[in-house]
Each structure stands twice: as C-alpha cells, then as structure tokens.
C-alpha cells in the first residue's frame, strides 16, 4: 500500500496489471529502494504534520484494523512499523478513545510470535462473540520470502479489562489455510464475522487462481474455532484481487441508525447489505448495495454492473483499506479509512512519519437507496473554536474573496452555495460518464466554465501561487438534466518540485435544480477532507504546501464560471488539537 505515482490506465489494462502485480505489501518494499535523496526543507516542517487526524507520534501506518466499542472505550488497531516511516516490520498497534477524536496509545496488540504469523501480522477485524468477548481475526504470514497467507485468531487474556491490553493466540491456529482453489498469495484480510442460522460466517478477500476474478471467500463455523469454506464465494467479479473486504447490513433508506453486523432480514430492520472491497491497482474502495440471502449464502448487488461500471466509492480521493464497525452506544455505523502520503519515500524518511487515518465517519443508506451517505462523527465538533461567518455574499464570474478572522490551516469549513441560473451549464460528454477523475483533470479549477468551477481555495498562499481547489462544476446531459461534478484539484497546491498531485473527482447524485448545494471541508495542514451535498460525495487529498504553512495559509471562495454564485452561508472554525497518542 505505497504512494501511488501512476496515472490510471484504461480498465482493461488495469486488469492485466492487476494479474501481473505482486501484493501491495511486496511492492512497498520495492518503493523503499527507489527513494530520491533530495528532500526540500518545507517537507520536514512540523506544520505539515496533521493536527487533528489520527496518527502515532512517528513512523509508518496503514490499514485500520478491527475497530470496536468495548466497555466504555473505542478501540482502533492499525498496521504499524515501529522501526521506521516505510512499510515493513508490521504489527498491530493499538489506541483507545472515549470519543473517537482524543486517542491514547497502548502497547501493541499483536506481533509475530507464533509459527502461523512469524513473518507478518496483516489486516483483519474484530467480532463480538455471544458472551460479549471480542475476537480478532487476522492474516498471518508463515513462510519466509513468500507472502503465503493464512488466517488466525487472537483473544483477550483478560476480557474484564476494558482496555484489552493483552491478547493471546490459541493453539488451534490457523483457522483457515489456502487449500485447492485458493491463491495462497492473494488470500487475506478477514471481515468481522456475523451470525445467522446457527453458524458464524466470515469473508476473506481473494483472487481466483489463473483468473482476474476477485472473490469474497465465505467461511462457516459453529464454534468460532473450526471453519469450513463454503462451496461458492459470497460474491465475485472480474475486478482483480479483493483486499480488505467488508460486509454489513444497513437500515431503511434515509434512516441514520446503524445495525449490528449479525442482524439480517426485515424483522431486524435490515433494508440492504453493503459489500465493499479495496482494489490494489486503482487504490480505491468500492462498494455495492444489494440483497443478502443467508440461506443460499449469496449476495446480489442491486446494480448488476456496479462491480465494474458505474462503481460507487466511499471516497474518490486518497482513502483506502477502510473498515466499519457498529457503535452500540449511539446506534450508528462508523467508517475508518487510511490515507497514505503522496510525497516520496525519501520525504517520508526525512519526516519520520507516514500515513494518517481519515476522520471517523458515520454512514447510512441514502433516501434514494442507491448509495451511502457519510458525515464526520459529531464528536469532531468538540474541537471547533470561535466561528467566523459570511452570509448572502455574491461572487461574480471570475471573482474571489478571502475568508479572514481565523487560522485556516487547521479548520472546519461549512458553506452553502446558491447558483443563480443553470442556463449556461456546459454540455456533458457521455464519454466521461464513468470517469469523473479524468474529466476533472481536463476541466480543472482554472478552466473557466458556464456554471462553475466554484468552491474553495484552501491552504493558499497570500499571492495565490499555492492553492488547493475543492469545487463543483455543473453540466447538462442531452436531455437538459444537470450533472454535478465535485473535484479536488491540488495541481497548484505546492511549489515543491516532483510531488504527486493528482486531481480527484466524483459525480454528485443531488438535485441542483433549486440551485442549492453544500460543501464541508476539513482542512488539516497536509490533508483536505471534503464532503459534498451533505456527504453524498467525499474526497480526501494529501497536499504539501511550501509557502501556505501555518499562519501563512489562507482561505478563499472563488467562482471561475460565467454565472453568479451566492454564498448563502459560510461558517469556518479553527480546530483545536485533540489528545493524539502522546504526540
């Protein structure tokens, strides 16, 4: 799971590359050997280290693992290298929180200690058993120089300890091994298990041998010790390897209440199920919404082409290897995801740290039933300081204005826009129907349009030589229906040379016929995490300004379209620093 530096090829080429590629873990090791020796001074500035996003004091992190709530504490385990800022020597680090925002680091939970994980403890999940005891399911590597992957279990030494500080690995490990029909080097990341019809079930991500078919390999168990592979995967598709699968129920459309993973069927209030996978080559997390039959043990997406075309993503930016869990206290489902660095390995080594976790998000089924909605957990608002407000301000074509009165380099900004007219919306080219990112690369923030681009310039320098744009642009299809593009454009985010600065984008399934649309951006020094139209489309970007650092960072609203845009309301808050793992 390294720093992606390539431009995405057409889908067919990606499939071929997927088949030929080594695992993401192995490729990371190669990247560390190709590091550039040149490191600009601005890169190592402490002002680029995030202020309120999750990270340890130093070193490399990647996937969030096994999040759960237990006896008054939220627990987050994560892949961590205790010896440096590159991937390697991975263990399960462990932090706890009362509110998902302030975090305390504990001793590592899992390290390579037994024959079935002696060469690696990779990603996995936690499950609450019938007696209330949590169990960790994780991938172990048991052979040197070969990523031979098997599944293991760990249990708390003292289940009465709310901090779950010590774990042991029972003698019946491993619980699942790559038998015939399983690719032993593409077999990892077990899900949270669920209980239905007298059996526990779990999924393991895989790639069918000799094919491009990614799989959610299904296992059953009566006692959580002995697991049997089902004859068929829960679901599969021609996408390449499925990493970090996740599977969970969601309630009725528009209802924000979350459901426990073991709930299923109408009697439990389940409307649909969500199946998510992480695709290594594209570096994105994709999901489908569909129907789960626990008798036939099959999952069927509502959109038959949703695995390959018209694909839904949790986040259209730098967000990967995500994991959800059910919060029984506030009856919600929480999503966590990893955002890696997009500078070089040499930069990471010089900084001494690499990787963050996105702000935890509450997720639920949109009223349309066609997608999920995501929003930062409400606890984040505890970090807000004094607000700065702007209202009823019209931004004429080609104009912009600065939002003053706060230190915006570490802030939370909510803005509601009103578009005066959609008459000048540009015609939409259907060739980009499934490639919003490419469209954003062509129609960037500085490319003038009819309705938009309009939005925010964040982490901008006083002279605007550096700026990261988060914006909307409205098109019209051949029937006159508006199509909304949301884009994060960091191409001018830094004057530091040779940085990877990709544009990210997604379409927003919202009715803009009224002219109204909202944007929320969490700005945190080297990360911009944005939520369009109330969380229908989300984009996280990593940026590394060389001038727009700390107090020298500015915030603007801009309009590069031909149509007037009104800021009906904008509120921005400086964000305080939480307790963050002792850093």
């Amino acid at each position: 799971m390294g720093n992606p530096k390539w431009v995405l090829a057409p889908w067919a080429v990606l499939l071929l590359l997927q088949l030929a590629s080594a695992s993401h873990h192995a490729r990371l090791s190669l990247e560390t050997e190709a590091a550039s020796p040149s490191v600009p001074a601005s890169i190592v500035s402490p002002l680029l280290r995030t202020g309120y996003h999750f990270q340890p004091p130093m070193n490399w992190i990647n996937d969030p693992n096994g999040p759960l709530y237990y006896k008054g504490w939220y627990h987050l385990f994560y892949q961590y290298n205790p010896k440096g800022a590159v991937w390697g020597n991975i263990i399960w680090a462990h932090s706890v929180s009362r509110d998902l925002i302030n975090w305390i680091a504990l001793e590592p939970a899992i390290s390579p200690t037994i024959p079935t994980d002696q060469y690696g403890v990779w990603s996995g999940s936690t499950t609450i058993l019938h007696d209330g005891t949590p169990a960790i399911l994780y991938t172990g590597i048991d052979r040197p120089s070969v990523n031979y992957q098997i599944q293991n279990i760990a249990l708390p030494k003292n289940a009465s300890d709310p901090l779950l500080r010590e774990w042991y690995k029972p003698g019946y490990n491993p619980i699942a091994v790559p038998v015939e029909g399983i690719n032993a080097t593409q077999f990892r990341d077990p899900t949270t298990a669920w209980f239905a019809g007298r059996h526990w079930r779990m999924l393991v991500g895989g790639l069918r041998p000799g094919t491009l078919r990614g799989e959610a390999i299904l296992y059953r168990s009566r006692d959580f010790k002995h697991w049997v592979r089902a004859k068929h995967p829960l679901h599969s598709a021609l996408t390449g390897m499925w990493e970090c699968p996740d599977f969970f129920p969601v309630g009725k459309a528009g209802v924000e209440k979350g459901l426990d993973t073991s709930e299923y069927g109408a009697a439990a209030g389940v409307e649909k199920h969500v199946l998510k996978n992480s695709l290594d080559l594209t570096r994105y997390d994709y999901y489908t919404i569909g129907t789960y039959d626990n008798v036939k043990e099959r999952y069927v997406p509502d959109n038959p082409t949703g695995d390959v075309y018209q694909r839904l993503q949790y986040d259209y930016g730098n967000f990967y290897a995500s994991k959800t869990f059910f919060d029984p206290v506030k009856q919600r489902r929480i999503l966590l995801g990893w955002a890696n660095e997009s500078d070089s390995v040499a930069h990471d080594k010089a900084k001494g740290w690499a990787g963050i976790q996105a702000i935890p998000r509450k997720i639920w089924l949109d009223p349309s039933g066609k997608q999920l909605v995501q929003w930062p957990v409400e606890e984040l608002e505890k970090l807000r300081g004094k607000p700065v407000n702007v209202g009823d301000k019209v931004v004429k074509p080609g104009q912009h204005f600065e939002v003053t009165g706060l230190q915006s380099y570490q802030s939370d900004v909510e803005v509601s826009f009103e578009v005066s007219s959609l008459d000048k919306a540009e015609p939409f080219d259907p060739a980009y129907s499934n490639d919003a990112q490419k469209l954003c690369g062509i129609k960037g923030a500085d490319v003038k349009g009819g309705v938009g681009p309009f939005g925010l310039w964040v982490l901008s320098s006083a002279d605007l030589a550096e700026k990261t744009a988060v914006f909307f642009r409205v098109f019209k299809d051949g029937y006159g229906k508006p199509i909304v593009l949301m884009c994060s454009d960091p191409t001018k985010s830094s004057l530091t040379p040779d940085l990877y600065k990709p544009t990210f984008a997604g379409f927003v399934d919202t009715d803009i016929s009224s002219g109204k649309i909202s944007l929320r951006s969490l700005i945190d020094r080297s990360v911009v995490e944005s939520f369009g139209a109330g969380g229908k489309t989300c984009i996280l970007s990593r940026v590394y300004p060389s001038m727009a650092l700390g107090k020298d960072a500015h915030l603007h609203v801009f309009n590069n379209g031909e149509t007037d845009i009104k800021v009906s309301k904008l509120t921005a808050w400086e964000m305080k620093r939480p307790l963050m793992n002792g850093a």
Side-chain angles (χ1 to χ4, degrees):
M1 303 176 191
N3 299 321
K5 302 294 193 296
W6 53 83
V7 176
L8 295 182
W11 180 245
V13 176
L14 283 179
L15 287 177
L16 293 174
L17 289 172
Q18 175 76 41
L19 184 63
S21 73
S23 77
H24 64 286
H25 304 279
R27 191 174 66 251
L28 280 164
S29 299
L30 295 176
E31 286 187 355
T32 64
E33 299 299 322
S36 167
S38 177
V39 179
S42 61
I43 285 292
V44 298
S45 169
L47 293 175
L48 284 180
R49 182 178 168 84
T50 58
Y52 59 94
H53 282 72
F54 180 95
Q55 60 185 159
M58 59 190 303
N59 297 337
W60 167 278
I61 70 168
N62 54 287
D63 308 3
N65 292 154
L68 79 157
Y69 180 87
Y70 188 71
K71 295 184 183 295
W73 292 89
Y74 294 100
H75 293 254
L76 173 61
F77 309 93
Y78 54 96
Q79 300 274 280
Y80 177 66
N81 180 0
K83 298 181 179 180
V86 296
W87 185 88
N89 312 299
I90 295 297
I91 63 174
W92 275 45
H94 184 193
S95 294
V96 294
S97 174
R98 291 286 196 183
D99 59 6
L100 292 168
I101 300 300
N102 294 277
W103 292 94
I104 301 168
L106 300 180
E107 289 298 308
I110 306 177
S111 300
T113 57
I114 60 175
T116 56
D117 69 13
Q118 60 185 311
Y119 297 105
V121 288
W122 289 0
S123 291
S125 307
T126 56
T127 301
I128 303 296
L129 304 181
H130 293 318
D131 64 359
T133 301
I136 289 175
L137 300 171
Y138 70 98
T139 297
I141 309 300
D142 71 341
R143 302 183 186 184
S145 304
V146 178
N147 291 327
Y148 192 92
Q149 298 159 20
I150 57 180
Q151 313 314 317
N152 294 289
I153 186 171
L155 298 166
K157 285 186 177 181
N158 178 10
S160 65
D161 176 12
L163 298 181
L164 298 172
R165 283 169 286 198
E166 295 185 275
W167 296 78
Y168 75 97
K169 302 165 185 176
Y172 52 81
N173 275 310
I175 59 169
V177 298
V179 297
E180 183 180 357
I182 292 178
N183 186 331
T185 64
Q186 308 284 337
F187 176 60
R188 55 184 175 268
D189 311 333
T191 64
T192 297
W194 70 97
F195 189 82
R198 297 186 297 175
H199 283 91
W200 287 100
R201 276 93 166 169
M202 73 168 174
L203 303 178
V204 180
L207 178 69
R208 188 172 299 177
T211 75
L212 299 172
R213 184 168 289 277
E215 297 184 306
I217 304 170
L218 177 66
Y219 283 83
R220 292 191 300 264
S221 175
R222 287 185 181 271
D223 59 7
F224 221 82
K225 296 179 181 180
H226 305 93
W227 293 82
V228 177
R229 181 168 62 119
K231 185 177 180 181
H232 300 287
L234 184 75
H235 187 57
S236 66
L238 286 168
T239 57
M241 167 66 188
W242 283 5
E243 293 192 301
C244 303
D246 199 14
F247 185 62
F248 56 90
V250 287
K252 293 183 178 180
V255 176
E256 297 184 18
K257 178 183 176 181
L259 297 171
D260 183 81
T261 308
S262 291
E263 294 181 293
Y264 65 96
V270 175
E271 178 82 3
K272 295 289 182 179
H273 273 75
V274 174
L275 178 61
K276 164 258 163 183
N277 62 76
S278 303
L279 293 187
D280 184 24
L281 249 296
T282 63
R283 310 301 302 168
Y284 294 126
D285 281 11
Y286 301 97
Y287 72 91
T288 56
I289 297 168
T291 302
Y292 167 54
D293 186 329
N294 74 294
V295 176
K296 295 180 179 179
E297 296 189 316
R298 288 296 180 93
Y299 165 81
V300 179
D302 291 345
N303 180 356
T305 67
D307 288 304
V308 179
Y309 303 104
Q310 300 175 323
R311 293 184 297 176
L312 297 169
Q313 296 175 211
Y314 281 157
D315 192 293
Y316 292 85
N318 190 339
F319 184 95
Y320 194 69
S322 61
K323 183 69 64 177
T324 68
F325 73 100
F326 174 66
D327 175 9
V329 176
K330 295 195 174 182
Q331 297 288 298
R332 57 186 176 174
R333 182 157 290 273
I334 303 297
L335 170 68
L336 294 145
W338 166 52
N340 68 335
E341 305 302 313
S342 59
D343 55 1
S344 72
V345 174
H347 293 172
D348 294 345
K349 289 181 177 179
K351 291 182 303 187
W353 58 272
I356 63 168
Q357 303 294 338
I359 293 297
R361 303 173 183 179
K362 176 182 173 180
I363 60 173
W364 66 94
L365 188 61
D366 182 72
S368 70
K370 296 179 180 179
Q371 69 165 92
L372 296 174
V373 179
Q374 306 168 60
W375 199 245
V377 293
E378 62 187 34
E379 290 90 337
L380 181 66
E381 297 171 16
K382 296 178 183 178
L383 299 181
R384 287 173 169 175
K386 180 181 177 181
V388 170
N389 293 291
V390 176
D392 292 326
K393 188 174 181 67
V394 174
V395 189
K396 293 288 186 179
Q399 292 187 352
H400 64 270
F401 70 88
E402 183 173 0
V403 180
T404 59
L406 80 161
Q407 299 295 329
S408 65
Y409 71 101
Q410 189 172 304
S411 60
D412 182 356
V413 182
E414 292 192 31
V415 57
S416 297
F417 295 104
E418 292 184 25
V419 180
S420 60
S421 171
L422 299 177
D423 292 344
K424 293 184 179 180
E426 303 159 78
F428 180 73
D429 184 344
Y432 301 109
S433 295
N434 294 313
D435 203 342
Q437 184 173 7
K438 186 174 182 180
L439 180 58
C440 176
I442 296 170
K443 300 278 190 177
D446 292 334
V447 179
K448 297 186 182 300
V451 181
F454 64 88
L456 300 176
W457 286 330
V458 306
L459 297 175
S460 56
S461 57
D463 60 0
L464 294 177
E466 288 186 341
K467 57 189 178 184
T468 295
V470 184
F471 64 87
F472 299 111
R473 192 181 195 114
V474 183
F475 299 85
K476 279 189 178 180
D477 67 13
Y479 301 96
K481 180 182 177 181
I483 296 176
V484 181
L485 177 74
M486 176 177 165
C487 185
S488 178
D489 181 355
T491 53
K492 294 187 176 179
S493 61
S494 179
L495 298 181
T496 300
D498 303 322
L499 285 177
Y500 179 65
K501 297 182 288 188
T503 53
F504 292 122
F507 294 110
V508 188
D509 186 11
T510 188
D511 182 7
I512 199 172
S513 58
S514 65
K516 298 179 180 181
I517 194 166
S518 66
L519 176 66
R520 181 179 182 184
S521 286
L522 305 177
I523 304 161
D524 193 7
R525 302 171 179 237
S526 63
V527 59
V528 182
E529 190 171 358
S530 299
F531 302 80
K536 286 177 175 285
T537 300
C538 309
I539 303 176
L540 189 155
S541 291
R542 301 303 308 274
V543 294
Y544 307 93
S546 62
M547 297 192 303
L549 296 166
K551 295 180 180 180
D552 293 324
H554 299 260
L555 171 67
H556 298 80
V557 176
F558 76 95
N559 177 16
N560 275 338
E562 297 178 3
T563 304
D564 287 358
I565 302 296
K566 184 169 79 170
V567 176
S568 53
K569 182 180 181 181
L570 181 151
T571 306
W573 299 264
E574 289 184 10
M575 296 294 277
K576 305 168 189 174
R577 287 183 63 93
L579 179 67
M580 187 54 66
N581 292 313

